[in-house]
Amino acid sequence: MSAAPLALSVLDLVPVRTAQTSAQAVTASLATADAADRLGYRRYWFAEHHNMPAVASTTPPVLVAAAAARTSRIRLGSGGVMLPNHSPLVVAEQFAALEAIAPGRIDLGIGRAPGSDPVITQLLRQSGTTSDVDRFPDNIRDILALSSPEGASLRFTSGQEYAVRATPAATAAPEVWLLGSSDYSAQLAASMGLPYVFANHFSGDGLERALDLYRSQFRPASEGEIPRTFLTANVVVADTDAEARALALPQLRMMARLRGGRPLTALETVEQAYAAEAADRLAAPLESWAAERWFIGTPDAVAERLREFATRWQVDEVMISPVAAAHDSDAMDAAPSRLRTLELLAPAA
Protein backbone atom coordinates (compact mmCIF):
# COMPACT_ATOMS: atom_id res chain seq x y z
CA MET A 1 0.00 0.00 0.00
CA SER A 2 1.54 3.33 -1.09
CA ALA A 3 1.92 6.27 1.26
CA ALA A 4 -0.61 9.07 1.05
CA PRO A 5 0.59 11.95 -1.15
CA LEU A 6 2.09 14.90 0.68
CA ALA A 7 1.16 18.39 -0.51
CA LEU A 8 4.26 20.50 -1.00
CA SER A 9 4.66 24.25 -1.39
CA VAL A 10 7.65 26.57 -1.83
CA LEU A 11 9.01 29.52 0.15
CA ASP A 12 11.46 31.70 -1.80
CA LEU A 13 13.78 34.35 -0.36
CA VAL A 14 15.23 35.03 -3.85
CA PRO A 15 18.82 34.22 -2.87
CA VAL A 16 21.65 36.26 -4.37
CA ARG A 17 24.97 34.49 -4.74
CA THR A 18 28.47 35.85 -5.22
CA ALA A 19 28.87 37.91 -8.43
CA GLN A 20 25.14 37.62 -9.19
CA THR A 21 23.00 40.70 -9.80
CA SER A 22 19.53 41.25 -8.37
CA ALA A 23 18.12 40.96 -11.90
CA GLN A 24 19.73 37.56 -12.35
CA ALA A 25 18.51 36.39 -8.94
CA VAL A 26 14.93 37.43 -9.70
CA THR A 27 15.07 35.75 -13.13
CA ALA A 28 16.21 32.53 -11.47
CA SER A 29 13.44 32.68 -8.88
CA LEU A 30 10.73 33.30 -11.47
CA ALA A 31 11.98 30.27 -13.41
CA THR A 32 11.74 28.29 -10.16
CA ALA A 33 8.14 29.49 -9.64
CA ASP A 34 7.31 28.42 -13.19
CA ALA A 35 8.75 24.97 -12.48
CA ALA A 36 6.81 24.68 -9.21
CA ASP A 37 3.60 25.43 -11.12
CA ARG A 38 4.40 22.76 -13.70
CA LEU A 39 5.44 20.17 -11.09
CA GLY A 40 2.22 20.39 -9.04
CA TYR A 41 3.36 22.31 -5.95
CA ARG A 42 0.43 23.85 -4.08
CA ARG A 43 1.76 27.37 -3.28
CA TYR A 44 4.71 29.61 -4.00
CA TRP A 45 5.35 32.36 -1.47
CA PHE A 46 7.92 35.16 -1.44
CA ALA A 47 9.42 36.38 1.84
CA GLU A 48 10.06 39.99 2.88
CA HIS A 49 13.56 40.89 4.04
CA HIS A 50 15.48 44.14 3.73
CA ASN A 51 19.10 45.22 3.27
CA MET A 52 20.56 41.70 3.18
CA PRO A 53 23.30 40.99 0.61
CA ALA A 54 22.06 37.44 -0.01
CA VAL A 55 18.32 38.17 -0.24
CA ALA A 56 16.52 40.00 -3.08
CA SER A 57 12.99 39.34 -1.81
CA THR A 58 12.21 42.82 -0.51
CA THR A 59 8.78 43.39 -2.09
CA PRO A 60 6.54 40.30 -2.15
CA PRO A 61 3.63 41.96 -4.04
CA VAL A 62 5.90 42.87 -6.97
CA LEU A 63 7.33 39.36 -7.14
CA VAL A 64 3.89 37.76 -6.83
CA ALA A 65 2.64 39.86 -9.75
CA ALA A 66 5.61 38.80 -11.87
CA ALA A 67 5.08 35.13 -10.96
CA ALA A 68 1.35 35.40 -11.69
CA ALA A 69 2.13 36.50 -15.23
CA ARG A 70 3.96 33.27 -15.98
CA THR A 71 1.98 30.66 -14.01
CA SER A 72 -1.56 29.36 -14.35
CA ARG A 73 -2.43 27.00 -11.49
CA ILE A 74 -0.28 27.44 -8.38
CA ARG A 75 -1.35 29.68 -5.50
CA LEU A 76 0.95 32.68 -5.03
CA GLY A 77 1.54 34.80 -1.98
CA SER A 78 3.69 36.42 0.65
CA GLY A 79 5.56 34.54 3.29
CA GLY A 80 5.03 37.09 4.52
CA VAL A 81 4.31 40.76 4.36
CA MET A 82 5.85 42.22 7.52
CA LEU A 83 2.94 44.38 8.57
CA PRO A 84 4.79 46.83 10.87
CA ASN A 85 6.56 48.09 7.73
CA HIS A 86 3.35 49.00 5.89
CA SER A 87 0.02 50.74 6.08
CA PRO A 88 -2.87 48.23 6.29
CA LEU A 89 -4.69 50.05 3.46
CA VAL A 90 -1.63 49.79 1.18
CA VAL A 91 -1.33 46.05 1.89
CA ALA A 92 -5.04 45.55 1.26
CA GLU A 93 -4.88 47.48 -2.01
CA GLN A 94 -1.83 45.62 -3.26
CA PHE A 95 -3.30 42.20 -2.60
CA ALA A 96 -6.72 43.17 -3.88
CA ALA A 97 -4.99 44.09 -7.15
CA LEU A 98 -3.16 40.74 -7.13
CA GLU A 99 -6.47 38.93 -6.56
CA ALA A 100 -7.80 40.71 -9.64
CA ILE A 101 -4.72 39.67 -11.64
CA ALA A 102 -4.86 36.01 -10.55
CA PRO A 103 -8.38 35.34 -9.19
CA GLY A 104 -8.58 32.56 -6.61
CA ARG A 105 -4.81 32.09 -6.47
CA ILE A 106 -3.60 34.72 -4.01
CA ASP A 107 -2.49 34.18 -0.40
CA LEU A 108 -1.68 37.06 1.93
CA GLY A 109 0.69 35.76 4.57
CA ILE A 110 1.26 38.36 7.30
CA GLY A 111 3.99 38.53 9.92
CA ARG A 112 4.58 40.75 12.94
CA ALA A 113 8.39 40.97 12.77
CA PRO A 114 9.97 43.85 10.82
CA GLY A 115 12.15 41.57 8.71
CA SER A 116 15.06 43.96 9.11
CA ASP A 117 17.20 45.83 11.61
CA PRO A 118 16.19 49.00 13.54
CA VAL A 119 17.90 51.31 11.04
CA ILE A 120 15.90 49.90 8.13
CA THR A 121 12.72 50.14 10.20
CA GLN A 122 13.35 53.86 10.67
CA LEU A 123 14.06 54.32 6.96
CA LEU A 124 10.80 52.58 6.11
CA ARG A 125 8.96 54.92 8.45
CA GLN A 126 10.54 57.92 6.71
CA SER A 127 9.69 56.72 3.21
CA GLY A 128 6.02 55.91 3.82
CA THR A 129 3.23 55.26 6.26
CA THR A 130 3.81 52.23 8.47
CA SER A 131 1.66 50.50 11.06
CA ASP A 132 2.17 50.38 14.81
CA VAL A 133 3.34 46.93 15.91
CA ASP A 134 1.24 47.29 19.08
CA ARG A 135 -1.89 47.54 16.92
CA PHE A 136 -1.08 44.36 14.99
CA PRO A 137 -4.41 42.60 15.74
CA ASP A 138 -6.43 45.70 14.79
CA ASN A 139 -4.42 46.10 11.61
CA ILE A 140 -5.15 42.50 10.64
CA ARG A 141 -8.86 43.13 11.13
CA ASP A 142 -8.62 46.29 9.04
CA ILE A 143 -6.99 44.38 6.17
CA LEU A 144 -9.66 41.66 6.32
CA ALA A 145 -12.43 44.26 6.16
CA LEU A 146 -10.82 46.45 3.51
CA SER A 147 -10.06 43.45 1.28
CA SER A 148 -13.60 42.05 1.40
CA PRO A 149 -16.06 42.84 -1.40
CA GLU A 150 -18.19 44.70 1.20
CA GLY A 151 -15.28 46.90 2.26
CA ALA A 152 -15.10 48.82 5.54
CA SER A 153 -16.55 52.04 6.87
CA LEU A 154 -15.35 54.82 9.12
CA ARG A 155 -17.66 56.74 11.39
CA PHE A 156 -16.90 60.40 12.05
CA THR A 157 -17.76 62.10 15.34
CA SER A 158 -20.65 63.73 13.46
CA GLY A 159 -22.12 60.28 12.92
CA GLN A 160 -21.51 60.30 9.17
CA GLU A 161 -20.06 57.12 7.67
CA TYR A 162 -17.29 56.99 5.08
CA ALA A 163 -16.94 53.84 2.93
CA VAL A 164 -13.45 52.48 2.17
CA ARG A 165 -12.58 49.60 -0.17
CA ALA A 166 -9.22 48.22 -1.23
CA THR A 167 -10.58 47.96 -4.78
CA PRO A 168 -13.88 49.24 -6.12
CA ALA A 169 -15.60 46.11 -7.40
CA ALA A 170 -14.07 43.03 -5.80
CA THR A 171 -15.80 39.67 -6.14
CA ALA A 172 -13.34 37.79 -3.91
CA ALA A 173 -10.49 38.44 -1.49
CA PRO A 174 -7.04 36.92 -1.01
CA GLU A 175 -6.79 34.25 1.67
CA VAL A 176 -5.12 35.66 4.78
CA TRP A 177 -2.66 33.54 6.78
CA LEU A 178 -0.86 34.55 9.97
CA LEU A 179 2.83 33.65 10.16
CA GLY A 180 5.00 33.34 13.22
CA SER A 181 7.31 31.34 15.44
CA SER A 182 5.90 32.26 18.84
CA ASP A 183 2.93 31.71 21.13
CA TYR A 184 1.64 35.20 20.31
CA SER A 185 1.03 34.58 16.61
CA ALA A 186 -0.50 31.15 17.25
CA GLN A 187 -2.95 32.52 19.82
CA LEU A 188 -3.86 35.51 17.65
CA ALA A 189 -4.55 33.29 14.63
CA ALA A 190 -6.71 31.05 16.83
CA SER A 191 -8.68 33.96 18.30
CA MET A 192 -9.38 35.38 14.82
CA GLY A 193 -10.20 32.03 13.22
CA LEU A 194 -7.40 32.41 10.66
CA PRO A 195 -5.10 29.76 9.20
CA TYR A 196 -1.62 29.73 10.71
CA VAL A 197 1.91 28.90 9.55
CA PHE A 198 4.74 28.16 11.97
CA ALA A 199 8.11 29.35 10.63
CA ASN A 200 9.94 26.10 11.31
CA HIS A 201 12.59 26.85 8.66
CA PHE A 202 13.72 29.80 10.76
CA SER A 203 13.26 28.44 14.26
CA GLY A 204 11.90 25.05 15.21
CA ASP A 205 11.87 25.94 18.90
CA GLY A 206 8.38 26.11 20.38
CA LEU A 207 6.68 24.28 17.51
CA GLU A 208 4.74 21.82 19.67
CA ARG A 209 3.43 24.48 22.03
CA ALA A 210 2.48 26.86 19.21
CA LEU A 211 0.45 24.23 17.36
CA ASP A 212 -1.22 23.07 20.56
CA LEU A 213 -2.22 26.65 21.44
CA TYR A 214 -3.52 27.30 17.94
CA ARG A 215 -5.60 24.14 17.73
CA SER A 216 -6.93 24.17 21.29
CA GLN A 217 -7.88 27.87 21.29
CA PHE A 218 -9.21 28.09 17.71
CA ARG A 219 -12.50 30.00 17.44
CA PRO A 220 -14.06 29.79 13.96
CA ALA A 221 -14.95 33.14 12.40
CA SER A 222 -17.84 31.47 10.56
CA GLU A 223 -19.68 28.17 10.69
CA GLY A 224 -17.75 25.13 9.54
CA GLU A 225 -14.27 26.62 9.77
CA ILE A 226 -11.57 24.44 11.33
CA PRO A 227 -7.92 25.05 12.28
CA ARG A 228 -5.65 24.97 9.24
CA THR A 229 -1.91 25.02 9.46
CA PHE A 230 1.21 23.92 7.68
CA LEU A 231 4.92 24.09 8.46
CA THR A 232 8.00 25.35 6.67
CA ALA A 233 11.26 23.43 6.31
CA ASN A 234 14.72 23.91 4.82
CA VAL A 235 15.22 21.29 2.12
CA VAL A 236 18.08 20.22 -0.17
CA VAL A 237 17.62 17.25 -2.51
CA ALA A 238 20.23 15.84 -4.88
CA ASP A 239 21.07 12.57 -6.59
CA THR A 240 23.46 11.58 -3.79
CA ASP A 241 23.74 12.33 -0.08
CA ALA A 242 27.20 13.76 -0.58
CA GLU A 243 26.05 16.23 -3.22
CA ALA A 244 23.06 17.27 -1.08
CA ARG A 245 25.35 17.99 1.88
CA ALA A 246 27.66 20.00 -0.37
CA LEU A 247 24.77 22.07 -1.72
CA ALA A 248 23.60 22.81 1.84
CA LEU A 249 26.94 24.11 3.12
CA PRO A 250 26.74 27.73 1.81
CA GLN A 251 23.33 28.30 3.41
CA LEU A 252 24.52 26.70 6.63
CA ARG A 253 27.46 29.09 6.70
CA MET A 254 25.07 32.00 6.13
CA MET A 255 23.00 30.89 9.11
CA ALA A 256 26.15 30.70 11.22
CA ARG A 257 26.92 34.31 10.28
CA LEU A 258 23.43 35.40 11.29
CA ARG A 259 23.61 33.58 14.62
CA GLY A 260 27.08 34.83 15.38
CA GLY A 261 26.42 38.47 14.49
CA ARG A 262 29.04 38.39 11.75
CA PRO A 263 28.88 40.63 8.66
CA LEU A 264 26.59 39.18 6.01
CA THR A 265 27.71 38.51 2.47
CA ALA A 266 26.23 37.31 -0.79
CA LEU A 267 25.62 33.55 -0.72
CA GLU A 268 28.80 31.59 -1.38
CA THR A 269 28.98 28.99 -4.12
CA VAL A 270 29.64 25.40 -3.09
CA GLU A 271 33.31 25.68 -4.06
CA GLN A 272 33.77 28.97 -2.19
CA ALA A 273 32.07 27.55 0.89
CA TYR A 274 34.28 24.46 0.99
CA ALA A 275 37.44 26.52 0.59
CA ALA A 276 36.41 28.94 3.35
CA GLU A 277 35.15 26.22 5.69
CA ALA A 278 38.51 24.49 5.57
CA ALA A 279 40.01 27.66 7.03
CA ASP A 280 37.42 29.02 9.46
CA ARG A 281 35.14 26.05 10.35
CA LEU A 282 32.26 28.52 10.54
CA ALA A 283 29.49 25.98 9.90
CA ALA A 284 30.96 23.13 11.93
CA PRO A 285 29.01 23.88 15.16
CA LEU A 286 25.71 23.76 13.23
CA GLU A 287 26.26 20.60 11.22
CA SER A 288 24.65 18.18 13.68
CA TRP A 289 21.84 20.67 14.34
CA ALA A 290 21.09 20.94 10.61
CA ALA A 291 21.22 17.17 10.17
CA GLU A 292 18.34 16.87 12.66
CA ARG A 293 16.23 19.88 11.59
CA TRP A 294 16.88 20.30 7.88
CA PHE A 295 15.87 17.80 5.20
CA ILE A 296 19.01 16.98 3.22
CA GLY A 297 19.55 13.94 1.04
CA THR A 298 18.26 11.86 -1.85
CA PRO A 299 14.67 12.17 -3.13
CA ASP A 300 13.15 9.10 -1.49
CA ALA A 301 14.88 9.67 1.84
CA VAL A 302 13.86 13.34 2.05
CA ALA A 303 10.31 12.59 0.93
CA GLU A 304 9.97 9.92 3.63
CA ARG A 305 11.29 12.27 6.32
CA LEU A 306 8.89 15.00 5.18
CA ARG A 307 5.96 12.58 5.34
CA GLU A 308 6.99 11.57 8.87
CA PHE A 309 7.34 15.24 9.79
CA ALA A 310 3.86 16.03 8.44
CA THR A 311 2.32 13.01 10.18
CA ARG A 312 3.93 13.84 13.49
CA TRP A 313 2.51 17.38 13.48
CA GLN A 314 -0.77 16.42 11.79
CA VAL A 315 -0.49 18.64 8.74
CA ASP A 316 -1.17 17.71 5.13
CA GLU A 317 1.17 20.31 3.64
CA VAL A 318 4.81 21.30 4.07
CA MET A 319 6.26 24.47 2.57
CA ILE A 320 9.85 23.82 1.60
CA SER A 321 12.52 26.49 1.43
CA PRO A 322 14.87 25.08 -1.25
CA VAL A 323 18.22 26.23 0.11
CA ALA A 324 20.51 24.37 -2.28
CA ALA A 325 23.38 26.61 -3.37
CA ALA A 326 25.00 26.96 -6.78
CA HIS A 327 28.28 25.73 -8.20
CA ASP A 328 30.89 28.04 -9.69
CA SER A 329 30.02 26.75 -13.16
CA ASP A 330 26.26 27.43 -12.92
CA ALA A 331 24.72 30.18 -15.04
CA MET A 332 24.09 33.40 -13.12
CA ASP A 333 20.48 33.73 -14.27
CA ALA A 334 19.53 30.16 -13.32
CA ALA A 335 18.95 28.23 -10.10
CA PRO A 336 19.75 24.67 -11.21
CA SER A 337 20.26 23.21 -7.74
CA ARG A 338 17.05 24.71 -6.34
CA LEU A 339 15.16 23.61 -9.46
CA ARG A 340 16.67 20.15 -9.12
CA THR A 341 15.39 19.94 -5.54
CA LEU A 342 11.85 20.64 -6.76
CA GLU A 343 12.13 18.26 -9.71
CA LEU A 344 13.50 15.37 -7.66
CA LEU A 345 11.19 15.81 -4.70
CA ALA A 346 7.83 16.19 -6.47
CA PRO A 347 7.55 12.61 -7.83
CA ALA A 348 9.00 11.10 -4.65
CA ALA A 349 6.45 12.81 -2.39
Short mmCIF file of all heavy atoms in Angstrom, two decimals, residues 201-240:
data_model
loop_
_atom_site.label_atom_id
_atom_site.label_comp_id
_atom_site.label_asym_id
_atom_site.label_seq_id
_atom_site.Cartn_x
_atom_site.Cartn_y
_atom_site.Cartn_z
N HIS A 201 11.31 26.73 9.38
CA HIS A 201 12.59 26.85 8.66
C HIS A 201 13.53 27.83 9.34
O HIS A 201 14.74 27.74 9.22
CB HIS A 201 12.33 27.32 7.22
CG HIS A 201 11.96 28.76 7.12
ND1 HIS A 201 10.73 29.24 7.53
CD2 HIS A 201 12.64 29.85 6.66
CE1 HIS A 201 10.68 30.54 7.33
NE2 HIS A 201 11.83 30.93 6.81
N PHE A 202 12.94 28.77 10.07
CA PHE A 202 13.72 29.80 10.76
C PHE A 202 14.06 29.39 12.19
O PHE A 202 15.18 29.55 12.64
CB PHE A 202 12.94 31.11 10.76
CG PHE A 202 13.62 32.23 11.48
CD1 PHE A 202 14.71 32.88 10.92
CD2 PHE A 202 13.18 32.65 12.73
CE1 PHE A 202 15.36 33.90 11.59
CE2 PHE A 202 13.82 33.68 13.41
CZ PHE A 202 14.91 34.30 12.83
N SER A 203 13.04 28.86 12.88
CA SER A 203 13.26 28.44 14.26
C SER A 203 12.26 27.34 14.60
O SER A 203 11.06 27.59 14.66
CB SER A 203 13.06 29.63 15.22
OG SER A 203 13.08 29.19 16.55
N GLY A 204 12.79 26.15 14.85
CA GLY A 204 11.90 25.05 15.21
C GLY A 204 11.54 25.03 16.68
O GLY A 204 10.68 24.25 17.10
N ASP A 205 12.15 25.91 17.47
CA ASP A 205 11.87 25.94 18.90
C ASP A 205 10.44 26.42 19.16
O ASP A 205 10.00 27.41 18.59
CB ASP A 205 12.85 26.87 19.61
CG ASP A 205 14.29 26.39 19.52
OD1 ASP A 205 14.49 25.17 19.36
OD2 ASP A 205 15.21 27.23 19.60
N GLY A 206 9.74 25.71 20.02
CA GLY A 206 8.38 26.11 20.38
C GLY A 206 7.31 25.62 19.45
O GLY A 206 6.14 26.00 19.59
N LEU A 207 7.66 24.75 18.49
CA LEU A 207 6.68 24.28 17.51
C LEU A 207 5.51 23.55 18.17
O LEU A 207 4.34 23.85 17.88
CB LEU A 207 7.38 23.36 16.51
CG LEU A 207 6.49 22.56 15.54
CD1 LEU A 207 5.60 23.49 14.72
CD2 LEU A 207 7.36 21.70 14.62
N GLU A 208 5.81 22.62 19.06
CA GLU A 208 4.74 21.82 19.67
C GLU A 208 3.77 22.70 20.45
O GLU A 208 2.55 22.57 20.31
CB GLU A 208 5.34 20.76 20.59
CG GLU A 208 4.30 19.85 21.24
CD GLU A 208 4.93 18.71 22.00
OE1 GLU A 208 6.16 18.68 22.15
OE2 GLU A 208 4.18 17.81 22.44
N ARG A 209 4.29 23.62 21.23
CA ARG A 209 3.43 24.48 22.03
C ARG A 209 2.60 25.40 21.13
O ARG A 209 1.40 25.60 21.38
CB ARG A 209 4.28 25.31 22.99
CG ARG A 209 3.45 26.31 23.81
CD ARG A 209 4.26 26.99 24.89
NE ARG A 209 3.55 28.12 25.47
CZ ARG A 209 2.59 28.01 26.38
NH1 ARG A 209 2.23 26.81 26.80
NH2 ARG A 209 2.00 29.08 26.87
N ALA A 210 3.20 25.95 20.09
CA ALA A 210 2.48 26.86 19.21
C ALA A 210 1.31 26.16 18.52
O ALA A 210 0.19 26.69 18.47
CB ALA A 210 3.43 27.46 18.17
N LEU A 211 1.53 24.95 18.03
CA LEU A 211 0.45 24.23 17.36
C LEU A 211 -0.64 23.83 18.34
O LEU A 211 -1.84 23.87 18.02
CB LEU A 211 1.00 22.99 16.65
CG LEU A 211 1.89 23.23 15.43
CD1 LEU A 211 2.22 21.90 14.77
CD2 LEU A 211 1.23 24.17 14.44
N ASP A 212 -0.23 23.44 19.54
CA ASP A 212 -1.22 23.07 20.56
C ASP A 212 -2.09 24.28 20.94
O ASP A 212 -3.32 24.16 21.05
CB ASP A 212 -0.52 22.52 21.79
CG ASP A 212 -1.52 22.10 22.86
OD1 ASP A 212 -2.31 21.17 22.62
OD2 ASP A 212 -1.53 22.72 23.95
N LEU A 213 -1.47 25.43 21.13
CA LEU A 213 -2.22 26.65 21.44
C LEU A 213 -3.18 27.00 20.31
O LEU A 213 -4.34 27.35 20.55
CB LEU A 213 -1.26 27.81 21.71
CG LEU A 213 -0.50 27.78 23.03
CD1 LEU A 213 0.58 28.86 23.04
CD2 LEU A 213 -1.46 27.98 24.20
N TYR A 214 -2.68 26.94 19.09
CA TYR A 214 -3.52 27.30 17.94
C TYR A 214 -4.73 26.37 17.83
O TYR A 214 -5.87 26.83 17.69
CB TYR A 214 -2.69 27.23 16.66
CG TYR A 214 -3.51 27.42 15.40
CD1 TYR A 214 -4.16 28.63 15.16
CD2 TYR A 214 -3.65 26.39 14.48
CE1 TYR A 214 -4.93 28.80 14.01
CE2 TYR A 214 -4.41 26.56 13.33
CZ TYR A 214 -5.06 27.76 13.10
OH TYR A 214 -5.82 27.93 11.96
N ARG A 215 -4.50 25.08 17.91
CA ARG A 215 -5.60 24.14 17.73
C ARG A 215 -6.57 24.13 18.91
O ARG A 215 -7.79 24.03 18.71
CB ARG A 215 -5.03 22.74 17.49
CG ARG A 215 -4.37 22.60 16.12
CD ARG A 215 -3.54 21.36 15.99
NE ARG A 215 -3.09 21.15 14.62
CZ ARG A 215 -2.00 20.47 14.27
NH1 ARG A 215 -1.25 19.91 15.21
NH2 ARG A 215 -1.68 20.35 13.01
N SER A 216 -6.06 24.25 20.11
CA SER A 216 -6.93 24.17 21.29
C SER A 216 -7.74 25.45 21.50
O SER A 216 -8.83 25.42 22.07
CB SER A 216 -6.10 23.87 22.54
OG SER A 216 -5.18 24.92 22.82
N GLN A 217 -7.21 26.58 21.06
CA GLN A 217 -7.88 27.87 21.29
C GLN A 217 -8.62 28.39 20.05
O GLN A 217 -9.20 29.47 20.08
CB GLN A 217 -6.87 28.91 21.75
CG GLN A 217 -6.21 28.58 23.08
CD GLN A 217 -5.25 29.65 23.56
OE1 GLN A 217 -5.24 30.77 23.04
NE2 GLN A 217 -4.43 29.33 24.55
N PHE A 218 -8.62 27.62 18.97
CA PHE A 218 -9.21 28.09 17.71
C PHE A 218 -10.69 28.40 17.87
O PHE A 218 -11.46 27.58 18.38
CB PHE A 218 -9.01 27.05 16.62
CG PHE A 218 -9.50 27.49 15.26
CD1 PHE A 218 -8.69 28.27 14.45
CD2 PHE A 218 -10.76 27.14 14.80
CE1 PHE A 218 -9.12 28.69 13.20
CE2 PHE A 218 -11.20 27.56 13.55
CZ PHE A 218 -10.38 28.33 12.75
N ARG A 219 -11.10 29.59 17.45
CA ARG A 219 -12.50 30.00 17.44
C ARG A 219 -12.88 30.35 16.01
O ARG A 219 -12.41 31.35 15.45
CB ARG A 219 -12.72 31.21 18.35
CG ARG A 219 -12.40 30.95 19.81
CD ARG A 219 -13.11 31.94 20.73
NE ARG A 219 -12.82 33.33 20.41
CZ ARG A 219 -11.87 34.05 20.99
NH1 ARG A 219 -11.07 33.51 21.90
NH2 ARG A 219 -11.69 35.31 20.65
N PRO A 220 -13.73 29.54 15.37
CA PRO A 220 -14.06 29.79 13.96
C PRO A 220 -14.74 31.14 13.77
O PRO A 220 -15.61 31.54 14.56
CB PRO A 220 -15.00 28.64 13.61
CG PRO A 220 -15.52 28.14 14.92
CD PRO A 220 -14.44 28.38 15.93
N ALA A 221 -14.34 31.85 12.72
CA ALA A 221 -14.95 33.14 12.40
C ALA A 221 -16.31 32.95 11.76
O ALA A 221 -17.16 33.84 11.81
CB ALA A 221 -14.04 33.94 11.48
N SER A 222 -16.54 31.79 11.14
CA SER A 222 -17.84 31.47 10.56
C SER A 222 -18.07 29.97 10.67
O SER A 222 -17.14 29.20 10.92
CB SER A 222 -17.92 31.92 9.10
OG SER A 222 -16.91 31.30 8.33
N GLU A 223 -19.30 29.56 10.49
CA GLU A 223 -19.68 28.17 10.69
C GLU A 223 -18.90 27.24 9.76
O GLU A 223 -18.72 27.52 8.58
CB GLU A 223 -21.18 28.00 10.44
CG GLU A 223 -21.71 26.62 10.78
CD GLU A 223 -23.21 26.51 10.61
OE1 GLU A 223 -23.85 27.56 10.34
OE2 GLU A 223 -23.73 25.40 10.73
N GLY A 224 -18.43 26.15 10.33
CA GLY A 224 -17.75 25.13 9.54
C GLY A 224 -16.24 25.29 9.43
O GLY A 224 -15.57 24.39 8.93
N GLU A 225 -15.71 26.41 9.86
CA GLU A 225 -14.27 26.62 9.77
C GLU A 225 -13.53 25.79 10.83
O GLU A 225 -14.01 25.64 11.95
CB GLU A 225 -13.92 28.10 9.93
CG GLU A 225 -14.33 28.94 8.74
CD GLU A 225 -13.86 30.38 8.87
OE1 GLU A 225 -13.46 30.77 9.99
OE2 GLU A 225 -13.92 31.11 7.88
N ILE A 226 -12.38 25.26 10.43
CA ILE A 226 -11.57 24.44 11.33
C ILE A 226 -10.13 24.97 11.30
O ILE A 226 -9.75 25.71 10.38
CB ILE A 226 -11.59 22.96 10.92
CG1 ILE A 226 -11.03 22.80 9.49
CG2 ILE A 226 -12.99 22.38 11.01
CD1 ILE A 226 -10.86 21.36 9.05
N PRO A 227 -9.32 24.61 12.31
CA PRO A 227 -7.92 25.05 12.28
C PRO A 227 -7.21 24.51 11.04
O PRO A 227 -7.36 23.34 10.68
CB PRO A 227 -7.33 24.44 13.56
CG PRO A 227 -8.50 24.16 14.43
CD PRO A 227 -9.64 23.83 13.51
N ARG A 228 -6.46 25.37 10.40
CA ARG A 228 -5.65 24.97 9.24
C ARG A 228 -4.24 25.49 9.44
O ARG A 228 -4.04 26.66 9.74
CB ARG A 228 -6.22 25.54 7.93
CG ARG A 228 -7.50 24.85 7.47
CD ARG A 228 -7.89 25.34 6.10
NE ARG A 228 -8.20 26.75 6.09
CZ ARG A 228 -8.02 27.57 5.04
NH1 ARG A 228 -7.46 27.10 3.94
NH2 ARG A 228 -8.36 28.83 5.11
N THR A 229 -3.29 24.61 9.26
CA THR A 229 -1.91 25.02 9.46
C THR A 229 -0.99 24.16 8.62
O THR A 229 -1.32 23.03 8.26
CB THR A 229 -1.51 24.90 10.95
OG1 THR A 229 -0.21 25.44 11.15
CG2 THR A 229 -1.53 23.46 11.41
N PHE A 230 0.14 24.72 8.25
CA PHE A 230 1.21 23.92 7.68
C PHE A 230 2.53 24.46 8.21
O PHE A 230 2.57 25.49 8.89
CB PHE A 230 1.17 23.86 6.15
CG PHE A 230 1.33 25.18 5.44
CD1 PHE A 230 2.58 25.75 5.25
CD2 PHE A 230 0.22 25.84 4.91
CE1 PHE A 230 2.73 26.95 4.58
CE2 PHE A 230 0.36 27.04 4.24
CZ PHE A 230 1.62 27.60 4.07
N LEU A 231 3.62 23.76 7.90
CA LEU A 231 4.92 24.09 8.46
C LEU A 231 5.91 24.34 7.33
O LEU A 231 5.76 23.83 6.23
CB LEU A 231 5.43 22.94 9.33
CG LEU A 231 4.48 22.47 10.43
CD1 LEU A 231 5.04 21.23 11.11
CD2 LEU A 231 4.23 23.57 11.44
N THR A 232 6.93 25.13 7.63
CA THR A 232 8.00 25.35 6.67
C THR A 232 9.22 24.52 7.04
O THR A 232 9.39 24.12 8.20
CB THR A 232 8.39 26.84 6.61
OG1 THR A 232 8.83 27.25 7.92
CG2 THR A 232 7.21 27.69 6.18
N ALA A 233 10.08 24.26 6.06
CA ALA A 233 11.26 23.43 6.31
C ALA A 233 12.34 23.73 5.29
O ALA A 233 12.04 23.91 4.09
CB ALA A 233 10.89 21.95 6.24
N ASN A 234 13.59 23.78 5.73
CA ASN A 234 14.72 23.91 4.82
C ASN A 234 15.00 22.56 4.18
O ASN A 234 15.14 21.55 4.89
CB ASN A 234 15.96 24.40 5.57
CG ASN A 234 15.82 25.84 6.02
OD1 ASN A 234 15.40 26.70 5.25
ND2 ASN A 234 16.17 26.12 7.26
N VAL A 235 15.11 22.55 2.85
CA VAL A 235 15.22 21.29 2.12
C VAL A 235 16.30 21.40 1.03
O VAL A 235 16.36 22.40 0.32
CB VAL A 235 13.88 20.90 1.47
CG1 VAL A 235 14.03 19.67 0.59
CG2 VAL A 235 12.82 20.65 2.55
N VAL A 236 17.12 20.36 0.93
CA VAL A 236 18.08 20.22 -0.17
C VAL A 236 18.00 18.78 -0.66
O VAL A 236 18.21 17.84 0.13
CB VAL A 236 19.52 20.52 0.27
CG1 VAL A 236 20.48 20.34 -0.91
CG2 VAL A 236 19.64 21.93 0.83
N VAL A 237 17.71 18.59 -1.93
CA VAL A 237 17.62 17.25 -2.51
C VAL A 237 18.58 17.16 -3.70
O VAL A 237 18.65 18.09 -4.52
CB VAL A 237 16.19 16.93 -2.97
CG1 VAL A 237 16.12 15.53 -3.57
CG2 VAL A 237 15.21 17.05 -1.81
N ALA A 238 19.30 16.07 -3.77
CA ALA A 238 20.23 15.84 -4.88
C ALA A 238 20.27 14.34 -5.17
O ALA A 238 19.66 13.53 -4.46
CB ALA A 238 21.62 16.37 -4.54
N ASP A 239 21.01 13.98 -6.20
CA ASP A 239 21.07 12.57 -6.59
C ASP A 239 21.81 11.71 -5.57
O ASP A 239 21.58 10.50 -5.47
CB ASP A 239 21.74 12.43 -7.95
CG ASP A 239 20.89 13.04 -9.07
OD1 ASP A 239 19.71 12.65 -9.19
OD2 ASP A 239 21.41 13.91 -9.80
N THR A 240 22.72 12.31 -4.81
CA THR A 240 23.46 11.58 -3.79
C THR A 240 23.45 12.37 -2.48
O THR A 240 23.29 13.60 -2.48
CB THR A 240 24.92 11.34 -4.21
OG1 THR A 240 25.60 12.60 -4.26
CG2 THR A 240 25.00 10.66 -5.57
#
